[in-house]
Amino acid sequence: MLPALSEDLVEEIILRFPPDDPACLLGAALVCKDWCRVICGPGFRSRFREFHRNPPLVGIIYWGEEASTSHGVWIVKTNFMPLSTTFTLPSAKLSRRDAIDTLHSRILFWDREDMQRPSAWMEFVVWSPIPSLVLRLPLLLLGKRRYAWTAALLCATASCNHLDCGSGAFLVIFAGTNPATGLTSVYIYSSEQNVWSEPISIQDQDRSVHGIIRPSARVGNTVYFVCEASNKLLAFEMGNQQLSFVSIPSTCRNCSFTVFAIAEDKGKLGYAVTQDSKLFTWSRDAGRLDGDAGWTQRRVFELDKLIPSCIRSFVDELYATTNNRGVVIVKGRHVLFTLDLKSGKVTKLVDGCTKHIYDVVLYMGFCTPSLPPNSKLASGHGMQQQSLYL
């Protein structure tokens, strides 16, 4: 018989398994108890994340319509579309809530039951599917203020390398504009204090900002939000708690666009915009610079050559990841696909009508097996009656 591989060598091999297919790790963990001990050990998860750095995109969460077979009518609910056949999310946890943002494995929801409450109240929920933990945030009391709004879920752990932000302290930043007054405000929730802050506000002098829409992008200590029907971005500097507006490139106005953080250039804000059948990316140093002087065009993607369906599909929405992954979702009227801005790789999600898909949120995370509580495997017992959890 060939000698058994050492556990160190087994780990070096398994660390190189693709992170976007959880079934590979699960299958390896079932080979034998020694491999299972390595993969389910407390240190493997962190080393796996550190080796691959950026979490894979495992699916999208969207707000959409589908036909009800029992009633013969269309119902609207939140759905999950996996990119891998080996990963899914429990639909019962999704359907009643509207997904707003994600942070690694955590998902920020707006509780749709708020529609039955006075509009001055808002309640958010943070859900960690693995393991299944649901945290209801305190009610956000807005008084008589009315907002066109969005929210961002952010890591709050000091000196975090952002490889595993799914278990530490977090922040929720609510950002909204009162269309009647042009006043834009943010409220900050801290999981450590379990309380919402008082509002921090800024007045849009030319009244061109009518609301704040998703997604957001964090660059260093600054969070950027997309302003609805405007040529501006909202910037919130978390250190000094200040708000400011940043202009987008003048050649990109009146187009579908989104913002993202650039992984290979730390400290730079990315901007993606579609014009006709092309997607342009721009970048700028994070800071208070304004106008076109701060923006530099980076790349141009010819979408009709990358994916022929774009020839017949007007692009009407763009979504980007809120971390450094550098992936955008491009939604046309007849196609939905992902585009990796670094490699140029395209993954088609839907080839057909997409009018039933709205408010796409990208779900990213590492899925590694772990043993159930009180497992005896680590002490040398066999694998009989043992289960593995992702």
Side-chain angles (χ1 to χ4, degrees):
M1 293 180 60
L2 293 174
L5 297 175
S6 68
E7 290 192 358
D8 290 342
L9 185 55
V10 169
E11 180 174 295
E12 285 299 317
I13 295 171
I14 297 175
L15 279 176
R16 289 160 174 78
F17 279 20
D20 56 353
D21 190 356
C24 293
L25 286 177
L26 183 59
L30 295 172
V31 169
C32 64
K33 68 179 183 180
D34 291 335
W35 284 34
C36 186
R37 184 184 299 110
V38 170
I39 297 172
C40 300
F44 179 81
R45 181 179 179 88
S46 61
R47 287 190 290 271
F48 190 73
R49 290 171 177 267
E50 186 174 357
F51 183 86
H52 292 282
R53 306 296 296 180
N54 291 319
L57 177 64
V58 295
I60 63 171
I61 306 169
Y62 66 95
W63 175 236
E65 300 174 340
E66 64 179 41
S68 172
T69 55
S70 58
H71 299 88
V73 297
W74 287 87
I75 58 175
V76 182
K77 66 176 186 177
T78 298
N79 301 276
F80 178 72
M81 181 189 299
L83 272 66
S84 168
T85 57
T86 58
F87 181 85
T88 189
L89 291 175
S91 59
K93 294 284 188 180
L94 295 172
S95 59
R96 296 186 304 105
R97 297 166 175 152
D98 189 4
I100 306 297
D101 198 8
T102 61
L103 177 65
H104 287 228
S105 59
R106 284 174 170 160
I107 308 171
L108 173 67
F109 290 98
W110 169 50
D111 197 326
R112 205 170 297 144
E113 292 179 357
D114 280 349
M115 295 178 181
Q116 309 300 324
R117 300 190 179 112
S119 57
W121 297 2
M122 297 196 70
E123 185 172 20
F124 293 94
V125 175
V126 175
W127 177 39
S128 297
I130 309 169
S132 184
L133 299 173
V134 177
L135 175 64
R136 285 188 173 271
L137 276 57
L139 291 177
L140 174 58
L141 304 179
L142 301 175
K144 296 181 179 180
R145 303 179 184 91
R146 300 294 182 267
Y147 292 106
W149 62 274
T150 189
L153 180 61
L154 305 169
C155 175
T157 303
S159 303
C160 181
N161 59 13
H162 302 302
L163 296 179
D164 188 4
C165 301
S167 57
F170 65 87
L171 301 173
V172 174
I173 299 181
F174 171 96
T177 299
N178 185 331
T181 64
L183 188 69
T184 297
S185 303
V186 300
Y187 296 77
I188 304 99
Y189 168 83
S190 167
S191 65
E192 296 176 304
Q193 282 83 39
N194 193 33
V195 67
W196 288 94
S197 72
E198 293 297 316
I200 301 168
S201 302
I202 185 174
Q203 182 70 52
D204 177 28
Q205 299 300 324
D206 56 14
R207 301 286 292 274
S208 64
V209 176
H210 302 288
I212 307 298
I213 56 177
R214 64 189 85 173
S216 62
R218 178 176 181 173
V219 182
N221 216 28
T222 303
V223 186
Y224 296 86
F225 296 92
V226 175
C227 298
E228 183 179 9
S230 174
N231 58 5
K232 298 176 181 178
L233 304 175
L234 175 69
F236 176 57
E237 211 291 314
M238 295 187 290
N240 57 24
Q241 303 277 286
Q242 289 186 351
L243 287 168
S244 61
F245 289 109
V246 177
S247 294
I248 64 174
S250 58
T251 58
C252 301
R253 294 169 187 177
N254 302 318
C255 302
S256 297
F257 66 89
T258 190
V259 291
F260 57 93
I262 300 177
E264 60 270 26
D265 282 328
K266 292 184 178 180
K268 285 188 178 292
L269 172 69
Y271 174 89
V273 59
T274 56
Q275 293 176 306
D276 299 322
S277 60
K278 293 181 173 64
L279 185 145
F280 301 83
T281 61
W282 299 68
S283 69
R284 62 173 290 157
D285 292 327
R288 305 293 292 273
L289 297 174
D290 203 6
D292 291 349
W295 292 102
T296 302
Q297 186 172 317
R298 296 172 64 93
R299 296 187 65 180
V300 180
F301 297 90
E302 298 189 44
L303 300 179
D304 54 347
K305 294 181 179 179
L306 290 172
I307 187 161
S309 302
C310 278
I311 296 176
R312 59 184 176 86
S313 182
F314 176 77
V315 175
D316 53 11
E317 287 184 88
L318 278 179
Y319 306 92
T321 56
T322 56
N323 55 24
N324 295 339
R325 182 68 172 84
V327 174
V328 296
I329 293 278
V330 182
K331 178 193 170 188
R333 293 177 182 173
H334 301 284
V335 67
L336 182 74
F337 60 93
T338 67
L339 172 62
D340 189 311
L341 298 178
K342 187 175 181 180
S343 67
K345 179 183 177 182
V346 169
T347 302
K348 187 185 295 186
L349 303 179
V350 176
D351 191 6
C353 182
T354 62
K355 67 179 183 179
H356 62 288
I357 298 175
Y358 314 97
D359 297 339
V360 175
V361 175
L362 284 71
Y363 185 71
M364 312 178 73
F366 290 100
C367 299
T368 56
S370 61
L371 289 167
N374 303 319
S375 168
K376 297 180 180 180
L377 180 63
S379 61
H381 288 72
M383 294 185 66
Q384 293 87 351
Q385 306 302 321
Q386 296 290 342
S387 300
L388 292 172
Y389 293 80
L390 282 177

